[in-house]
Amino acid sequence: MTRGARRGVVTALALCAGTLGAQTAPDLHYETLRTPHLEVTYAAGLEDVARRAAGSAERAWAGLARELHPPRGPVSIVVTDNYDTSNGYATTFPTNRIVIFARPTVDANTLKFIDDWVDLVVTHELTHLFHLDRSRGLWQLGQWVFGRNPFLFPNAYSPSWLSEGIAVHYESKLTGAGRDVGTDFDAMARAHALAGTTPAAHELSAASPRYPLGNVPYVFGSPLVEEAAASGSMGRFVDVSAGRLIPFMLNANAKAAFGISFDGAYARWTDSVARAARALARDVPPRAPLVRGGWFAQRPRWDGDSALVWTAADPKSLPSLRRVSAAGGPVRVIAARTTTDATSLLPGGWRVFAQQDFTDPYSQRTDLYLEHDGDVARLTTDQRLTQPDARFCADPLAGSSATRPASALRPATPICIVAVQLTPGQARLALVRVTATDVEVTPITEPSAASLWSEPRWSRAGDRIVATHWMRGGESEIGVLDRTGRVLATFGRARAVNGSPAWGPEDLTVFFTSDRSGRSAIYRANVASGALAFVADSPTALYESEPSPDGTRVATFQLGAEGYDLTVLDALVVGTPADSSSALGPARGMTVATTDAPAAPYAAWRSALPRYWTPQLDQGFDGSYRVGLFTSGFDLVDRHSWQLTATQDTKRNEPAFDFGYSFAGLGEPVVNVGASAVWDHPGVPDSAGLALFPVARRRTFADASLTFLRRRISYAASVSVGGTYEWRGFTALAGVPFARFAPADRAALGRTYTYPSYWVSAGVSNARQPAFALGPEDGFSASATVQQRWRTDAPDRTRATSVIGVLAGYRALDFGARAHHLVALRVAGATEDAVSASEFDAGGNSGTIVQVVPGLTFGDGRRTFFVRGFEPGVMSGSRALGANAEYRFPIAFPGSGLGALPFFLQRVSGVLFADGASAWCPTGSPGSPICPRATAGDWISSVGAELHFDAAVEYDQPYRLRIGFAAPASAPARVARPSPSAYVTLGLPF
């Protein structure tokens, strides 16, 4: 649900809310209500959730303020529902902001033990702001000068295990539920302890290659913080760290506040976990799994009596439907998926499944699909249906809320599906009837914030449905309903996580899982009497309970050190009676917090105003410097975003600026406008072509564009159209014998030249990237740009057209390592008229530039025609070609930090490469600024190798550091062939 998303300090100085990648939907209608400490902005249809969020946040504010210093200014909360995901994030930059997605937690195991999902997410995210906004001493003085500059929040330098650990600590302390009280984090810790893979304290990075990857800081950080906080004051710790000049002295800060270092607290906690896990394993030996290393797996289903299918994903591969024999053997991938939602099997090879996809650039929805013999048809659109269970049926279902045209991919017999249907802030059960001509969706339970239904399953006779029922206050039960949604029976109620119900033989029993004992285990209920029997346990946890068709076995997932291990158990075991008591405590009476504050239309401009500035210092011309500032802003819903850089040369009257603004309020297209002024100092020839005189050239630009985006999980495509108007003028430099120019030349240099242009750019990519991928895999990316530019006072012959195209392809190779090997190929070509004013360059490196501190950058920008080992621009002209090939392979996964230092090394990989490019002028013209003479299309090329270090700075922010060696292989006579050389840069070259 939460990730406490601090905008990365290194990247925050860019225009942080990249509009097309925004997580909120900027084109919706929003309103804002105000309470004493909050401004809550919500999308249409979410007023009830927003008022609950405001009430919960005010209640959490009161509890947090008793221990921590409150954040400055009103806190803005945005409630949106454009993603079918249970999540939220908080940021202190540029103002204190929280975004929550109005989807209740009906699937993720770790987020099921809740009294109220709104309470949990709001309390967690508000804790981040109480923690991260706190600044004292020189940090506070710096913010007084520079505003809310992202470099000047000392607690934002905390590792994610600390910031998330504090937030999880208070989510449970203030709500009485949440992950510190639930059982799943403990189960994961025991799994690692039994496998001997418990990470050390300096290995708790969000970039960890261990299971559960980005959740490692939550699983191990929250109990570490809990262990330390038991000995002292959390408020004192936050204040100490907020005033420490060096923000990475974590153990010293902990000693001052808790009386124990984090290292000491972690050693004490991990030792207790290991002892408890070993004791449990002696009493309850681990089950022998059928398939190990499931990482992220869900929803096992029997394919007859002889095989099992389930959906899974791992760091090496994307989600897919997988199959294995019940007797063991190799795992076979049988179909691709976008998520690990349920797939329901039908006779004749038909399959119904749910998965997510984008319905527009800003909305991602879960819908139903039908699959047969490799063909897939979408059944619903924007119906938000998940966790389906399907069977063939012949009886009609009354009522219809959605209809689709007929599809050729439909069986002769109608299909009846029961599924969860998400609604704003709520979830209900729905029946879906699929015939040859239409799809009917009929809700059968009422949506309610106090009652959530999930995980429905048809009885074997098809007359009843069993499902999980959660109730506000933290209790859950298993319910049996008829086809109209009427509840016939319930059993297993407890303040615990009950789930994954499935019918036993002859519909007399229901198997389900529950963590009422303190560990998730399998239980069996007698449907007639409601009596419970304990079936199976594990020293870690068992999730899912799927009886075989003959009722003799039950499939489950046993939690291991690499995720969910598929396991088959004896279902005929005589279970011991079990009651409904819960080790998690008694049921809680819970008052729902809300507010009746009036609402008003959302005013975007207020949150988009500048709140900070960053000084800029760059190298100028001839020993001078350029000094200035950078600032930016974006509103709460990413409708408006802008940035401004302004600098002045210290020796010359050469002011420069760069301003950009994007408006996404239309949804599509995104409108971009900008203006800039830059200075350079070229050599300008006289009219006779006999002399070159350095002058100051000012180029001023105004531009506008429209961007259209088609976004899907499997691919993305975009088209942009725009225009630019350039004003160009020249000024003599001091000390230059400008008087030597002929009068005509002086007149020419004194004029202002104008260059209008228009362009069209398009791109598409279907390459995808699993967590451990060495780059994009198994797909391609292509882009092309066409531009036409001319001078208004020149004849038509000076009209210039340029075309640039790039195509890259990627192929993964599986040699059994933890990550795929990868072959990456790329070709690029460009052409323009000789009268163009700018040339294509060949040579140099390609990668990513990162601003380390204001005025200091590191890395190489992205180049179209790069050849490693050569200087940038060693060849130039009006034509260019380039080709690059790389073979990337994994070497090691250290997964380790350097003590308390803000650095983490995830993995090391190697690259063998070959680059080649050429830039030339097929013809020459004395009046051409780029092609005064013709040049041959000779090639420069190089070969070499690189080591890639996937590392995280500030503990968790990922970067790829490349250390390479390039040996030039060929160069024409007009290019000086350099010696073999080493280099260091950042990011992938392509």
Side-chain angles (χ1 to χ4, degrees):
M1 174 182 290
T2 56
R3 58 186 174 92
R6 301 161 296 145
R7 302 269 181 177
V9 170
V10 172
T11 58
L13 298 184
L15 190 57
C16 292
T19 306
L20 290 178
Q23 289 186 285
T24 52
D27 55 330
L28 301 181
H29 174 73
Y30 290 88
E31 293 196 341
T32 300
L33 58 88
R34 292 175 173 83
T35 64
H37 301 105
L38 308 165
E39 295 178 349
V40 181
T41 297
Y42 55 93
L46 295 174
E47 182 173 357
D48 177 66
V49 180
R51 293 189 178 279
R52 289 169 55 201
S56 290
E58 286 289 353
R59 180 165 60 189
W61 188 292
L64 290 166
R66 289 192 290 267
E67 298 191 24
L68 305 176
H69 194 280
R72 294 158 291 173
V75 169
S76 299
I77 299 178
V78 177
V79 181
T80 185
D81 193 30
N82 56 307
Y83 273 62
D84 281 349
T85 183
S86 302
N87 201 1
Y89 60 91
T91 177
T92 59
F93 174 80
T95 57
N96 285 317
R97 302 176 178 185
I98 293 171
V99 174
I100 63 172
F101 297 95
R103 181 193 189 274
T105 53
V106 294
D107 40 22
N109 288 325
T110 59
L111 295 171
K112 285 185 177 180
F113 187 64
I114 52 175
D115 285 345
D116 181 272
W117 73 267
V118 174
D119 242 19
L120 186 79
V121 64
V122 168
T123 302
H124 182 103
E125 303 305 340
L126 188 61
T127 302
H128 281 310
L129 299 184
F130 271 75
H131 172 214
L132 302 177
D133 184 71
R134 186 66 170 138
S135 302
R136 298 172 59 239
L138 290 177
W139 299 99
Q140 191 173 23
L141 176 62
Q143 291 186 11
W144 184 80
V145 175
F146 298 105
R148 296 183 66 85
N149 190 301
F151 283 99
L152 299 176
F153 288 85
N155 285 341
Y157 291 93
S158 301
S160 60
W161 65 258
L162 178 55
S163 59
E164 298 300 345
I166 293 174
V168 171
H169 167 76
Y170 280 109
E171 92 182 22
S172 291
K173 183 174 183 177
L174 297 183
T175 71
R179 287 164 284 191
D180 262 351
V181 183
T183 65
D184 295 282
F185 281 6
D186 289 342
M188 292 181 191
R190 289 195 301 273
H192 279 283
L194 292 174
T197 57
T198 301
H202 61 271
E203 296 173 338
L204 304 183
S205 169
S208 174
R210 287 183 173 87
Y211 174 81
L213 300 180
N215 278 319
V216 163
Y218 294 82
V219 173
F220 296 96
S222 58
L224 165 55
V225 169
E226 197 75 16
E227 183 79 25
S231 304
S233 166
M234 185 67 75
R236 174 163 170 74
F237 171 78
V238 172
D239 279 356
V240 167
S241 59
R244 185 81 71 175
L245 186 59
I246 301 175
F248 309 116
M249 301 178 67
L250 304 179
N251 281 322
N253 297 342
K255 287 279 285 186
F258 305 130
I260 185 174
S261 69
F262 282 128
D263 286 345
Y266 191 65
R268 190 165 67 188
W269 173 74
T270 53
D271 183 62
S272 67
V273 170
R275 290 198 306 270
R278 288 193 295 268
L280 272 174
R282 286 193 294 269
D283 296 335
V284 185
R287 310 283 178 164
L290 184 67
V291 178
R292 292 186 181 274
W295 285 89
F296 307 102
Q298 292 191 82
R299 319 297 177 193
R301 299 290 185 263
W302 286 91
D303 188 2
D305 280 320
S306 61
L308 285 154
V309 299
W310 72 103
T311 51
D314 56 63
K316 192 175 177 178
S317 59
L318 296 167
S320 61
L321 184 67
R322 307 179 185 192
R323 187 180 191 274
V324 70
S325 167
V331 175
R332 184 166 62 94
V333 173
I334 57 177
R337 297 286 186 263
T338 64
T339 57
T340 57
D341 209 322
T343 293
S344 183
L345 307 183
L346 293 167
W350 296 90
R351 296 193 288 259
V352 172
F353 64 94
Q355 67 178 6
Q356 291 189 9
D357 212 336
F358 286 92
T359 56
D360 62 56
Y362 311 100
S363 301
Q364 187 171 308
R365 296 299 189 214
T366 307
D367 276 291
L368 299 184
Y369 296 77
L370 183 63
E371 186 175 41
H372 188 260
D373 288 338
D375 294 325
V376 177
R378 187 168 188 156
L379 296 177
T380 63
T381 299
D382 214 22
Q383 287 295 305
R384 309 183 68 180
L385 294 162
T386 182
Q387 300 177 355
D389 192 49
R391 67 189 315 274
F392 285 123
C393 61
D395 51 325
L397 295 173
S400 173
S401 63
T403 301
R404 282 177 48 87
S407 167
L409 184 66
R410 298 285 173 82
T413 305
I415 300 174
C416 286
I417 306 166
V418 60
V420 176
Q421 186 172 42
L422 302 172
T423 62
Q426 301 169 2
R428 64 189 178 193
L429 297 184
L431 291 182
V432 183
R433 180 180 172 85
V434 181
T435 69
T437 58
D438 62 14
V439 176
E440 300 173 354
V441 180
T442 306
I444 60 172
T445 62
E446 292 296 323
S448 169
S451 175
L452 300 175
W453 290 93
S454 62
E455 302 177 299
R457 301 294 301 276
W458 285 113
S459 63
R460 299 179 188 235
D463 58 338
R464 289 172 293 171
I465 298 164
V466 67
T468 302
H469 184 212
W470 170 91
M471 294 152 285
R472 179 182 284 135
E475 285 190 312
S476 67
E477 62 187 5
I478 304 300
V480 176
L481 305 88
D482 65 16
R483 294 163 60 88
T484 68
R486 183 168 60 96
V487 177
L488 304 176
T490 63
F491 41 82
R493 177 180 290 197
R495 191 164 189 265
V497 177
N498 296 307
S500 65
W503 294 89
E506 300 179 2
D507 296 337
L508 300 177
T509 59
V510 167
F511 288 77
F512 68 101
T513 59
S514 176
D515 64 353
R516 65 190 61 224
S517 69
R519 300 190 308 280
S520 185
I522 298 178
Y523 294 79
R524 184 175 59 238
N526 183 293
V527 176
S529 67
L532 304 184
F534 173 83
V535 176
D537 198 1
S538 165
T540 56
L542 297 178
Y543 300 103
E544 310 277 5
S545 54
E546 183 68 9
S548 61
D550 63 7
T552 62
R553 292 161 293 175
V554 59
T556 186
F557 287 118
Q558 179 178 231
L559 186 66
E562 291 187 342
Y564 297 90
D565 297 336
L566 183 62
T567 307
V568 176
L569 307 175
D570 182 4
L572 299 179
V573 62
V574 178
T576 58
D579 59 29
S580 289
S581 62
S582 173
L584 304 181
R588 297 174 69 238
M590 183 177 182
T591 303
V592 178
T594 186
T595 180
D596 58 1
Y602 168 60
W605 63 269
R606 295 178 65 250
S607 58
L609 293 174
R611 309 285 177 166
Y612 78 105
W613 66 279
T614 296
Q616 297 289 292
L617 177 64
D618 298 308
Q619 186 70 45
F621 175 69
D622 194 23
S624 67
Y625 291 92
R626 302 201 63 88
V627 297
L629 61 86
F630 172 88
T631 188
S632 67
F634 50 94
D635 73 299
L636 298 175
V637 301
D638 296 317
R639 183 174 296 166
H640 307 275
S641 55
W642 63 272
Q643 62 180 8
L644 171 66
T645 303
T647 61
Q648 172 65 51
D649 193 278
T650 56
K651 291 184 177 181
R652 298 169 183 83
N653 183 26
E654 296 180 358
F657 69 92
D658 185 10
F659 173 77
Y661 166 76
S662 292
F663 174 69
L666 303 175
E668 284 192 283
V670 176
V671 180
N672 301 283
V673 297
S676 61
V678 297
W679 292 82
D680 58 10
H681 305 84
V684 177
D686 62 17
S687 56
L690 300 176
L692 282 175
F693 291 97
V695 297
R697 178 171 63 179
R698 178 187 175 96
R699 303 171 67 193
T700 305
F701 302 87
D703 56 76
S705 67
L706 302 175
T707 298
F708 303 83
L709 180 70
R710 183 171 179 81
R711 191 178 184 188
R712 296 292 183 266
I713 287 180
S714 58
Y715 75 93
S718 65
V719 175
S720 296
V721 295
T724 301
Y725 207 93
E726 177 186 353
W727 294 265
R728 185 178 295 188
F730 300 85
T731 304
L733 291 172
V736 174
F738 201 48
R740 295 184 184 177
F741 277 87
D745 293 326
R746 290 200 297 271
L749 292 175
R751 293 172 51 194
T752 297
Y753 301 87
T754 56
Y755 299 86
S757 64
Y758 63 86
W759 51 268
V760 178
S761 180
V764 62
S765 175
N766 69 351
R768 302 177 69 184
Q769 195 161 335
F772 283 177
L774 303 181
E777 290 185 351
D778 292 335
F780 74 94
S781 63
S783 63
T785 300
V786 179
Q787 181 181 33
Q788 190 165 80
R789 179 179 181 271
W790 63 94
R791 209 174 88 190
T792 56
D793 63 340
D796 287 345
R797 67 181 179 85
T798 61
R799 189 181 301 266
T801 302
S802 67
V803 180
I804 303 174
V806 180
L807 174 65
Y810 309 93
R811 179 65 177 173
L813 306 173
D814 193 354
F815 295 133
R818 293 187 68 185
H820 292 140
H821 292 228
L822 181 65
V823 175
L825 303 174
R826 176 181 177 274
V827 293
T831 180
E832 65 183 359
D833 299 327
V835 294
S836 297
S838 59
E839 67 276 3
F840 302 120
D841 290 335
N845 211 327
S846 178
T848 301
I849 294 178
V850 169
Q851 185 170 26
V852 182
V853 295
L856 177 62
T857 60
F858 177 68
D860 293 278
R862 188 57 56 95
R863 291 188 173 91
T864 305
F865 305 100
F866 65 91
V867 180
R868 284 162 277 198
F870 288 84
E871 289 296 320
V874 295
M875 301 178 75
S876 62
S878 61
R879 303 285 191 277
L881 289 173
N884 309 92
E886 290 196 346
Y887 182 79
R888 304 169 187 167
F889 53 94
I891 295 176
F893 284 77
S896 179
L898 296 176
L901 295 178
F903 177 82
F904 181 86
L905 180 59
Q906 183 200 65
R907 64 177 174 187
V908 181
S909 57
V911 174
L912 303 176
F913 69 81
D915 297 333
S918 179
W920 73 97
C921 293
T923 60
S925 171
S928 172
I930 62 170
C931 289
R933 63 185 65 85
T935 54
D938 300 312
W939 285 70
I940 56 174
S941 63
S942 67
V943 295
E946 293 180 343
L947 282 177
H948 289 193
F949 298 90
D950 285 86
V953 298
E954 296 176 52
Y955 306 101
D956 303 285
Q957 301 297 325
Y959 292 92
R960 179 167 293 187
L961 176 69
R962 293 161 46 203
I963 299 177
F965 179 83
S970 65
R974 62 189 172 104
V975 174
R977 182 168 178 170
S979 301
S981 59
Y983 55 89
V984 180
T985 190
L986 294 174
L988 283 174
F990 68 97

